[in-house]
Amino acid sequence: MLERMELEAFLTLAEELHFGRTAERLHVTTSRISQTIRKLERRVGAQLFVRNSRSVTLTEVGERLRDDLLPAYEQIGLGLAQAIATGRGVRIKGVVRVGWSGPWCGNLVVRAADQFRARYADCEVEIREIQLCDPLGGMRAGTIDVQLTEFPMTEPDITTGRVLFAEPRSLMVPADHPFASKESVSLEDLADTVLVTLADTHIPRYWMDRYFPRRTPGGRPIPQGPATTYWPEVLVHVASGAGVSTVAARAEQFHTRPGMVFVPFHDASTIDYGLMWPTAGDNPLVRPFLDIIDEIAPPAYEPPQRG
C-alpha cells in the first residue's frame, strides 16, 4: 500500500522531472523528495528514475508505474472534489469556464478541454479569449474560473501556478522602420521609436511596465503611441506605421501580415504564461481541469545556464 507522500512525490516528479520543482509544488524540502523516492524504489525493488547532474528521467519501470497509478490518482481527486461539492451543496455536474490569451495558450486549453469532456462526460468546458485590456475582470466578476494568460500576476485575490510557456520576446515593427533590417534590438532601442501601448484601465501597473514600459532599463523615456484596447488594434497600428510593439517571438507564426516585421530582442526577459484562478473560487471542477493541463503541458521551463 502506497503512502500518500510516496504517491504524490512519485507522480509529481514523474511530471516535473526536477526535484526542486517537485519539492516546491508539494511544499517540502528537496531532501524529503529524494528520501521518499529512494524509499519507494526500495519497496518496488527497482530504480524508477535515472538521475544525473543535468537531468532526471523515468526508467521503463517508472513509466509503467506512472501509467498505472495516474488514472486512479485522478479519480481520487475527482472523488474528493465531488465530496467537497456535495458538502457545499454544489452539483459536480456542471461547467468550468476557462480563459486564454495567445494562440499557443488557446491551443493547449482546447486540447485540455477535449480530454476533460472525454474523462468527465457529465461536465462541460466553456472557453473564452481574455482581452489584454482587462486580464483580471472575468475572474473577479465570477465569469472565469481559471485562465492561461501572461504573468506576472501578484494580486492577493488571485492564485497562480507554474510558468507553462516562457516565450522569447521580439519587437513588431513596420516593414519600412529603421529597426526592420536589424538582426536584433535592445530594450534601450525603445527610446528611439514610438511604442503602441494599451489603454491603462484595469491592468496592474507592474504588468504594464513589463510589457508596455514607459522607460528603458537605463531610464530613458519611451515615446508612447496609440493606446489600444484589443490585440487586433495593435497589429493594425504597427502595420500602418503608427508605432512598434513588444510581442512573444512565437506570435510571428500566427500574426504575420504584409507591412510588418518581427525583430528579436537580445536582452529582454521572456514573456511568461501560466495558469491563474480566483483564490476564493469554489468551482470543484477547477482542480481536475488544472490536473489535465499539467498532464499535457510542455515541460517546465528552465532558464539557460550561464557560464
Side-chain angles (χ1 to χ4, degrees):
M1 188 72 175
L2 280 180
E3 296 177 2
R4 177 180 175 181
M5 184 60 191
E6 290 176 325
L7 179 62
E8 292 185 344
F10 170 72
L11 290 177
T12 306
L13 184 58
E15 175 191 335
E16 293 286 357
L17 296 178
H18 190 284
F19 280 84
R21 288 194 297 270
T22 298
E24 183 178 346
R25 279 182 57 179
L26 297 181
H27 307 291
V28 298
T29 64
T30 302
S31 61
R32 174 80 183 281
I33 298 298
S34 298
Q35 292 166 5
T36 302
I37 295 300
R38 285 197 297 269
K39 178 182 176 182
L40 180 58
E41 288 177 328
R42 287 195 297 269
R43 294 182 62 186
V44 171
Q47 191 174 10
L48 301 174
F49 297 91
V50 177
R51 305 91 148 161
N52 59 44
S53 60
R54 299 181 62 85
S55 65
V56 178
T57 57
L58 279 161
T59 64
E60 184 176 348
V61 174
E63 289 180 351
R64 177 64 182 271
L65 184 61
R66 175 201 59 194
D67 294 344
D68 288 344
L69 291 178
L70 191 57
Y73 180 71
E74 290 171 348
Q75 195 60 42
I76 290 170
L78 183 59
L80 179 60
Q82 290 173 327
I84 293 172
T86 301
R88 294 176 176 176
V90 178
R91 293 179 63 194
I92 191 67
K93 181 179 179 180
V95 178
V96 60
R97 299 159 298 182
V98 185
W100 59 272
S101 65
W104 44 95
C105 296
N107 290 343
L108 179 60
V109 166
V110 168
R111 287 175 54 208
D114 288 342
Q115 291 202 23
F116 187 90
R117 295 184 187 105
R119 192 170 298 176
Y120 308 118
D122 291 334
C123 300
E124 185 52 71
V125 183
E126 293 180 358
I127 300 172
R128 185 180 309 169
E129 183 177 5
I130 300 298
Q131 300 301 328
L132 283 173
C133 61
D134 191 14
L136 300 176
M139 289 189 291
R140 286 177 169 163
T143 58
I144 293 291
D145 298 308
V146 59
Q147 64 187 48
L148 177 51
T149 49
E150 294 88 351
F151 283 177
M153 196 55 66
T154 55
E155 300 294 299
D157 58 333
I158 303 298
T159 299
T160 58
R162 68 178 175 90
V163 172
L164 296 182
F165 297 99
E167 299 295 317
R169 204 181 306 200
S170 289
L171 189 66
M172 207 164 49
V173 305
D176 59 356
H177 193 281
F179 294 170
S181 60
K182 287 191 170 189
E183 290 187 4
S184 66
V185 291
S186 166
L187 289 171
E188 290 297 326
D189 289 330
L190 294 177
D192 301 319
T193 187
V194 175
L195 182 67
V196 176
T197 187
L198 291 179
D200 190 2
T201 53
H202 305 290
I203 306 173
R205 187 66 252 173
Y206 60 82
W207 192 98
M208 285 287 291
D209 287 342
R210 182 174 176 115
Y211 298 120
F212 298 90
R214 295 168 293 183
R215 292 187 175 274
T216 69
R220 300 169 64 200
I222 298 172
Q224 302 291 289
T228 59
T229 302
Y230 303 106
W231 174 246
E233 297 174 40
V234 177
L235 299 174
V236 169
H237 284 304
V238 172
S240 66
V244 304
S245 179
T246 63
V247 66
R250 198 193 303 210
E252 185 172 5
Q253 302 172 23
F254 299 88
H255 300 303
T256 297
R257 60 175 60 190
M260 199 159 60
V261 174
F262 293 75
V263 185
F265 278 99
H266 59 254
D267 62 353
S269 61
T270 56
I271 298 181
D272 298 338
Y273 299 81
L275 290 160
M276 58 190 80
W277 56 94
T279 302
D282 60 0
N283 187 336
L285 299 181
V286 168
R287 176 48 56 186
F289 189 85
L290 293 176
D291 290 342
I292 289 178
I293 285 278
D294 267 342
E295 284 179 38
I296 67 175
Y301 171 74
E302 289 190 47
Q305 297 295 318
R306 296 185 179 273

